[in-house]
Amino acid sequence: KAAKDRLSALKKELPYFLASGFCPIHHDDATLEYNGVLQIDVDFKTADGAQKAIELLARIHNLKPAGVLLATLSPSTFGVKILLATDNLDKDRHRDALQAAIEYLAELLDVDQKQFDKLGASQPVYVPFERTPGQAYFNQDAEPLRITFKQQKHTTTAAIEYDRDLVLDAAQFLIANQISVAECRDEYLQITAACKNAFGDDG
């Protein structure tokens, strides 16, 4: 426990920049300027965690998920830090938007949601860490991920918004042309994620 506490303290002394320009420990929500960009951490607390992090980063390079501005290895190398832009500018809905984004990334990238950390709006973003040059993913032109909020059973939930007609057209194309998606796993995951988010669990 002492070693863990010491490690936690040392991590806070690492150099970092603040993307939103305010203190990560001490801030006033009333004056916080919220830009909808989320910091998402994926942590692999296993012996092969470093390798899993490298594989996840490679998957992000390949899929180029909507909204992802930056993805880089954690300083520990046992995880990936992600900056994701959204169109949600309501800081009171930050937590709901974060959950929606985690669900989107978990399904698209095929990662268990338990591996994600839910971070606040004021978390620091560490300087990108690369084992080899070019390993980090950077896309400053990423379009913000569109998020809508729905009211269900007196609780607010967030869901990724998809164009229903577009998803239907894509499904009909696959059926009409008898296209097998078994050999293109990444594209298959994108399609299933879109269907589930557009039509619910029966998608």
Side-chain angles (χ1 to χ4, degrees), residues 10-147:
L10 285 172
K11 283 176 68 176
K12 292 174 184 173
E13 295 176 12
L14 286 168
Y16 57 80
F17 69 93
L18 298 176
S20 48
F22 57 87
C23 177
I25 298 171
H26 206 51
H27 71 268
D28 182 354
D29 281 340
T31 59
L32 186 152
E33 186 173 331
Y34 185 69
N35 63 6
V37 176
L38 310 175
Q39 181 187 336
I40 299 173
D41 273 12
V42 186
D43 290 322
F44 299 104
K45 297 180 173 75
T46 58
D48 60 347
Q51 183 57 37
K52 286 185 176 179
I54 290 172
E55 291 171 358
L56 177 59
L57 201 51
R59 211 174 305 150
I60 291 171
H61 269 283
N62 181 40
L63 291 175
K64 298 176 174 53
V68 174
L69 301 167
L70 172 71
T72 180
L73 291 179
S74 300
S76 69
T77 74
F78 275 67
V80 174
K81 291 187 178 292
I82 299 170
L83 273 185
L84 186 141
T86 74
D87 65 352
N88 171 53
L89 298 179
D90 184 349
K91 65 188 174 190
D92 292 332
R93 288 181 162 174
H94 169 80
R95 199 168 293 273
D96 288 335
L98 183 60
Q99 181 57 40
I102 287 174
E103 290 172 6
Y104 159 75
L105 288 174
E107 189 146 19
L108 178 63
L109 301 173
D110 194 22
V111 177
D112 193 321
Q113 285 190 43
K114 294 177 183 177
Q115 309 292 342
F116 288 80
D117 278 348
K118 296 180 181 178
L119 302 175
S122 61
Q123 290 293 324
V125 179
Y126 296 106
V127 171
F129 179 88
E130 296 181 305
R131 283 180 168 163
T132 56
Q135 192 172 34
Y137 172 83
F138 180 60
N139 180 14
Q140 64 181 2
D141 299 320
E143 289 292 325
L145 186 67
R146 293 170 56 198
I147 295 180

